[in-house]
């Protein structure tokens, strides 16, 4: 199997140390210093990592990052800037880079940068993130993954908080260890403690055998406590102790079990507001809120809509279907109150309803259109009717061998009205001049 490529964009040829470092990390090196060659190398080799130096004279660094990002949206781009170019480094992150290196850098720093980017690529395998807002969150998530700190993910229902938690796990050193997700809102309150911490035989009525809890099952790996705001206050106190002591006791046991675990919490509610209302413990909030991540709603990252739609079409339709232009336009204007979860359901429904390989607006069957989307739907319907009318006139004109008077009679209109229709058809690009008059 061929090694993935690193594209090194710099006026200077990379040093032997840089070449050795890239090779040691399992990549093949491509080097260029011209914009024309950048475009061809991106097209021909599809490099997984791209390093861009700030000293390129042909374009500004942010513009180069934007160019590569457009050519290789799945690539991890890292800018190389001088120590006094902090503002420029920030601009490259805004343009699509995931990180930057300060020059001069050591081989160990380059190695760390490559490994972080590789981990991010690994975590992105089933996560669609094309919009700038998504990529910024993933940059933060990737950095969080390289630490042992707790992470708090906030966002509306259906935005993909669990998938972001999986990304953090997969991009971390715990990737080969368990990832356990617990939906705190889906488990009856009286069962939550036993589910989380486990229990011994006889701990309560019905405990006929020993059972490990979710924390034990995730030991060595990561645990996601989804909808953590739904935990009752009494259980919040016990959870806080487990997080502080990094150990737990099963129900009905005095034996302490040591934990080596990363805790990721998620909520669709504002936990600060919950704290102010006395619904969530302040000390637990600060224990969890070490690295907060706010996952935007789908309407706030519209550049992700069509890539996500294509992802689900390929997932459920085996790559045999595609979106029509009209359906794509409507999807971009729709507000997606149910976020990614709603989009996935819509695409599954559209594949069932589809009457051909191209998914149409009617196949989407969106429950209610955004006003702009409604206007697009109306416009598409109007255009469809106009096209049908033009096709009918052409068909009659052909049957009458292009004779305008007979055509007008067959259509039941005056020859003057027909002339107006034919003029309108010409304006819409319909070729009628080939027909005899």
């Amino acid at each position: 199997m061929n090694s993935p490529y690193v594209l090194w964009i710099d006026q200077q040829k990379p040093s032997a140390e840089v070449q050795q470092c890239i090779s040691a990390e399992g990549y093949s090196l491509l080097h260029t210093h011209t914009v024309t060659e950048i475009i061809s190398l991106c097209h021909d080799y599809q490099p997984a990592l791209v390093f861009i130096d700030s000293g390129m004279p042909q374009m500004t660094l942010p513009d180069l990052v934007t160019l590569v990002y457009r050519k290789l949206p799945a690539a991890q781009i890292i800018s190389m800037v001088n120590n006094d170019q902090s503002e420029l480094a920030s601009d490259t992150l805004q343009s699509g880079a995931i990180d930057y290196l300060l020059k001069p850098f050591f081989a160990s720093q380059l190695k760390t940068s490559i490994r972080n980017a590789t981990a991010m690529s690994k975590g992105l395998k089933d996560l669609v993130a094309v919009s700038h807002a998504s990529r910024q969150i993933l940059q933060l998530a990737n950095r969080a993954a390289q630490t042992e700190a707790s992470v708090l993910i906030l966002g509306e229902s259906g935005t993909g908080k669990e998938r972001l938690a999986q990304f953090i796990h997969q991009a971390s050193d715990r990737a080969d260890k368990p990832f356990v997700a617990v939906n705190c809102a889906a488990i009856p309150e009286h069962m939550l403690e036993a589910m989380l911490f486990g229990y011994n035989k006889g701990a309560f009525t019905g405990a006929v055998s020993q059972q490990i809890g979710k924390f034990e099952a995730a030991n060595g790996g990561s645990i996601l406590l989804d909808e953590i705001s739904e935990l009752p206050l009494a259980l919040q106190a016990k959870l806080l102790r487990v997080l502080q002591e990094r150990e737990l006791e099963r129900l009905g046991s005095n034996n302490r079990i040591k934990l080596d675990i990363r805790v990721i919490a998620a909520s669709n509610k504002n936990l600060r507001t919950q704290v102010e209302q006395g619904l969530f413990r302040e000390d637990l909030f600060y224990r969890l809120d070490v690295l907060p991540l706010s996952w935007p709603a789908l309407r706030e990252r519209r550049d992700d809509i069509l890539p996500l739609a294509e992802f689900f079409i390929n997932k459920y339709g085996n790559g045999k279907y595609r979106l029509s232009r009209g359906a794509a336009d409507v999807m971009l204007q729709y507000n997606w109150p149910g976020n990614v979860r709603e989009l996935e359901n819509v695409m599954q429904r559209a594949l069932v309803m589809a009457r051909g390989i191209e998914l149409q607006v009617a196949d989407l069957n969106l429950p209610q259109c955004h006003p702009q989307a409604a206007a697009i739907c109306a416009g598409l319907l109007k255009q469809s009717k106009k096209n049908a009318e033009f096709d009918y006139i052409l068909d009659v004109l052909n049957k009458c061998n292009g004779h305008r008077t007979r055509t007008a009679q067959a259509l039941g209109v005056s020859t003057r009205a027909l002339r107006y229709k034919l003029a309108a058809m010409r304006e819409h690009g319909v070729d009628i001049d080939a027909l005899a008059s």
Side-chain angles (χ1 to χ4, degrees):
M1 183 177 178
N2 294 332
S3 301
Y5 290 98
V6 166
L7 176 58
W8 193 272
I9 302 172
D10 191 353
Q11 282 290 98
Q12 306 298 322
K13 186 178 179 181
S15 66
E17 188 177 29
V18 166
Q19 294 181 48
Q20 184 178 4
C21 181
I22 290 173
S23 178
E25 292 301 311
Y27 289 88
S28 298
L29 177 65
L30 302 168
H31 169 246
T32 185
H33 58 84
T34 69
V35 173
T36 304
E37 198 169 29
I38 289 171
I39 295 171
S40 63
L41 289 174
C42 287
H43 179 270
D44 295 340
Y45 292 93
Q46 297 289 305
L49 304 182
V50 182
F51 288 84
I52 309 177
D53 187 73
S54 60
M56 292 285 290
Q58 296 159 299
M59 294 177 70
T60 67
L61 183 57
D63 285 345
L64 271 175
V65 170
T66 300
L67 171 67
V68 174
Y69 176 53
R70 286 175 177 169
K71 297 294 179 183
L72 297 168
Q76 310 306 311
I77 305 171
I78 299 163
S79 58
M80 299 181 287
V81 299
N82 297 321
N83 276 303
D84 59 351
Q85 294 179 312
S86 58
E87 188 174 341
L88 182 61
S90 177
D91 288 344
T92 65
L93 296 179
Q94 296 290 326
S95 300
I98 65 160
D99 207 349
Y100 59 87
L101 274 172
L102 294 177
K103 301 183 295 183
F105 48 80
F106 297 106
S108 59
Q109 293 172 305
L110 175 60
K111 185 178 294 185
T112 298
S113 184
I114 292 173
R115 288 180 177 178
N116 287 348
T118 303
M120 187 164 176
S121 294
K122 180 175 64 175
L124 277 170
K125 185 180 294 184
D126 294 318
L127 181 60
V128 177
V130 174
S131 72
H132 180 61
S134 296
R135 290 177 70 90
Q136 281 192 313
I137 292 296
L138 292 183
Q139 290 166 19
L140 296 173
N142 189 52
R143 293 186 181 188
Q146 312 314 314
T147 72
E148 292 298 312
S150 299
V151 178
L152 176 61
I153 304 173
L154 299 175
E156 295 180 8
S157 293
T159 50
K161 297 187 292 294
E162 182 172 343
R163 189 62 197 88
L164 183 59
Q166 290 173 340
F167 167 82
I168 293 170
H169 174 73
Q170 291 166 3
S172 74
D173 291 338
R174 300 177 182 270
D176 59 342
K177 301 296 193 300
F179 173 84
V180 176
V182 183
N183 188 330
C184 300
I187 303 172
E189 185 175 324
H190 67 278
M191 293 178 59
L192 260 173
E193 185 175 359
M195 289 286 289
L196 289 175
F197 308 132
Y199 53 87
N200 277 3
K201 182 179 180 179
F204 52 85
T205 303
V208 295
S209 63
Q210 177 181 284
Q211 181 67 47
I212 68 169
K214 299 294 186 180
F215 272 87
E216 251 186 286
N219 210 358
S222 306
I223 187 168
L224 168 64
L225 301 175
D226 198 6
E227 306 303 350
I228 195 168
S229 59
E230 302 303 315
L231 279 181
L233 285 168
L235 192 52
Q236 289 179 29
K238 294 180 181 179
L239 174 61
L240 177 64
R241 184 180 178 280
V242 169
L243 298 183
Q244 288 175 332
E245 303 298 330
R246 293 286 160 172
E247 61 182 23
L248 61 79
E249 295 176 1
R250 292 181 191 150
L251 295 181
S253 172
N254 293 321
N255 295 327
R256 295 184 177 182
I257 300 167
K258 290 290 183 182
L259 293 175
D260 171 23
I261 198 169
R262 177 204 287 279
V263 176
I264 305 171
S267 177
N268 62 2
K269 296 180 180 178
N270 187 323
L271 289 189
R272 287 187 182 275
T273 303
Q274 297 288 102
V275 169
E276 292 169 2
Q277 295 174 350
L279 300 174
F280 200 83
R281 291 181 63 105
E282 185 176 25
D283 45 7
L284 177 58
F285 169 70
Y286 287 118
R287 174 65 62 175
L288 296 170
D289 193 41
V290 178
L291 291 170
L293 297 173
S294 294
W295 200 217
L298 188 56
R299 62 183 173 275
E300 296 168 3
R301 45 189 174 107
R302 293 192 178 274
D303 286 347
D304 287 342
I305 292 174
L306 296 186
L308 278 166
E310 290 173 8
F311 174 81
F312 292 128
I313 287 172
N314 290 330
K315 180 178 179 180
Y316 298 113
N318 299 317
K320 298 177 182 177
Y321 298 85
R322 63 176 181 268
L323 280 174
S324 68
R325 176 65 181 273
D329 287 342
V330 168
M331 291 183 71
L332 286 173
Q333 296 299 330
Y334 182 60
N335 246 14
W336 299 106
N339 294 296
V340 179
R341 185 180 295 124
E342 181 186 11
L343 190 149
E344 181 176 8
N345 291 341
V346 166
M347 298 321 300
Q348 285 183 279
R349 181 172 64 228
L351 290 168
V352 172
M353 301 298 294
R355 288 161 290 181
I357 63 170
E358 196 168 67
L359 305 182
Q360 304 297 329
V361 174
D363 299 328
L364 301 177
N365 193 26
L366 290 173
Q368 57 182 8
C369 276
H370 184 282
Q372 289 175 285
I376 290 173
C377 291
L380 290 168
L381 181 59
K382 185 177 180 181
Q383 184 62 45
S384 178
K385 289 180 178 178
K386 188 183 293 291
N387 290 340
E389 180 186 23
F390 289 171
D391 288 343
Y392 179 62
I393 293 173
L394 278 177
D395 183 54
V396 175
L397 195 60
N398 275 309
K399 288 178 179 177
C400 295
N401 297 318
H403 196 285
R404 299 324 194 234
T405 303
R406 288 204 299 269
T407 300
Q409 291 172 347
L411 291 171
V413 299
S414 66
T415 53
R416 185 178 181 183
L418 178 61
R419 282 199 300 271
Y420 286 138
K421 285 290 184 183
L422 295 178
M425 290 167 66
R426 286 193 187 94
E427 289 177 3
H428 284 79
V430 180
D431 184 14
I432 60 173
D433 294 324
L435 296 170
S437 58

